[in-house]
Structure formats: structure tokens, C-alpha cells
Amino acid sequence: MDSQDPVVVTEPRPGVLLVTLNRPHVRNAVDQSLAKAMDTALTRLESDPTLAVGILAGAGGHFCSGMDLKAFPTDGVPVVADRGLAGLTRARLRKPLIAAVEGAAVAGGFELALACDLITAADTAFFALPEVARGLIAAEGGAVRLPGRLPYHVAMEMLLTAAPLPAPDAARYGLVNRLTPEGEALQAALALADRVQAHSREAVLVTKRIVQDTRGLDDRAAYTVQDPLSAPVFTTTAATEGATAFTEKRPPAWQG
């Protein structure tokens, strides 16, 4: 990679923003420059009304190897304000984000994938949280999210022994939405993005917010959070059109 190449490449497509980490010579390890550039890209996704879904991928056959350990002793963890590693792990994005994983998604790279809403992965990819082997903690979502996404004992083995998890096993446990042949994870992510953006934008955004805001709550508490968010959606033009289209056996107007 030329030193002048951007460390994050953004490619807008109809309704979709493809964000590609672009430091392939270090398996897209995150340093401060990449963190800042990725945060800028995610801010664009959130603020652009023409964009419905984001896709996060890595250049050069790998997703992300985590934070750049060569830069860590002097620069520390490459976080952005209150949005966490690379502006993502604590960001609570409104819009759905899909991780397209090829090769390594390890350490902070795996935590970036865990912060996404959907994951596609090549069958040759693998996930790992090796922080304990480096005297560190999986503190950007690994230790928080993983035990709720995998069987407890599998998650703890990954966290405490640094054991890798091959993508086929991750798919078997439900951690990966689509398992693909090598080199096809991005195509699967684009197909998922098209399915998401085919639906009412407000329904998608509110559904994601409800999931974010009610995780960990019991049913009674969850309904008190959900109802004020969901009730207005039932009165929208999109809801009326969706119901009418269903009864008339046709696609809703927003699908063209």
C-alpha cells in the first residue's frame, strides 16, 4: 500500500455505504489515524438521509487484526471520544451495520464485528480475542457482548485461553448470519443490506433502537421502553401503506 493511500475507503452505493479498512500490510490494524477516519465514515452514514445501511469490510483478504500494537505503547487504545474503538464499539449507531469478514477478525477487530448488527463471513475466516495472552483485556465489547452471543463456556474459553473460533463454528453457534466461500463475504453483506433497505426506513431504525434500549431488561421494564418508541410507527404513512399493500397482494410503494 502506498503511504498516500487512505486508511479508510468509503464507497457509497444506492442506500448503502461500504466502509473498507485499508491498512492491509498490517491486516488492517487500527491506529489513531484509522480510528479517526472510520469515525468520520460512520458519522457520514448516520447523517446522510440517502443511506440506510452500512457495511464494514477489510482490504487485502483480512477484516481486522485489532489495534496496532506497535503504536499502542505510545498512543494507547485508538478510541474516538465516547464512541469507543475506531468510533464504533460504544457508538450505538442508529442505522444497521453489517460486518463482511474475510480472514482474521481478532482482538479489537472481533470487537468491531461484535458491534455490528449482522455478520457475513468466509468459511476460511476466524475470530479470536487474544487480549489475555498480551496482558490486556477485551474491553471494547468482547467481554461484554460475547457471553451473550455464544454458549457461555465457549465464550469463556475464547476470553480466557485466547483460543480462535473458526467461522464455520461461529455460524453453527449463530454468531454469523451468512457463511460463504472465501472471497464472497462482501457479496453476501451487500445482499443482506439490500434486504434491510427494502423495508420502511422508520420501522428499521425504531426496531434497532428498541433492541438496543431493552437488552438486559426483564419483560415488564422492556415494554415500558418499547411502547413509546413503537406506538408512533403504527400511525405513519408507511405503516398504512404496508398494511394496504399486504391486503392488495402487492409490494409497498417504497419498494418501487
Side-chain angles (χ1 to χ4, degrees), residues 237-253:
T237 300
T240 301
E241 166 60 12
T244 302
F246 176 78
T247 61
E248 295 177 354
K249 296 182 172 56
R250 61 172 175 80

Side-chain angles (χ1 to χ4, degrees), residues 157-249:
E157 181 174 354
M158 291 188 71
L159 287 164
L160 299 181
T161 73
L165 182 70
D169 290 340
R172 179 165 57 89
Y173 289 126
L175 185 66
V176 168
N177 296 86
R178 300 286 187 275
L179 189 68
T180 76
E182 185 175 359
E184 297 183 17
L186 178 56
Q187 286 72 26
L190 287 166
L192 275 175
D194 284 342
R195 291 192 63 177
V196 172
Q197 69 165 331
H199 301 299
S200 157
R201 182 76 59 86
E202 186 168 10
V204 167
L205 294 178
V206 173
T207 295
K208 176 171 178 178
R209 183 175 173 188
I210 289 169
V211 172
Q212 286 180 323
D213 290 358
T214 61
R215 292 186 70 182
L217 301 180
D218 62 33
D219 287 355
R220 184 183 297 273
Y223 282 127
T224 65
V225 173
Q226 172 197 266
D227 292 349
L229 296 172
S230 63
V233 176
F234 287 89
T235 65
T236 61
T237 300
T240 301
E241 166 60 12
T244 302
F246 176 78
T247 61
E248 295 177 354
K249 296 182 172 56

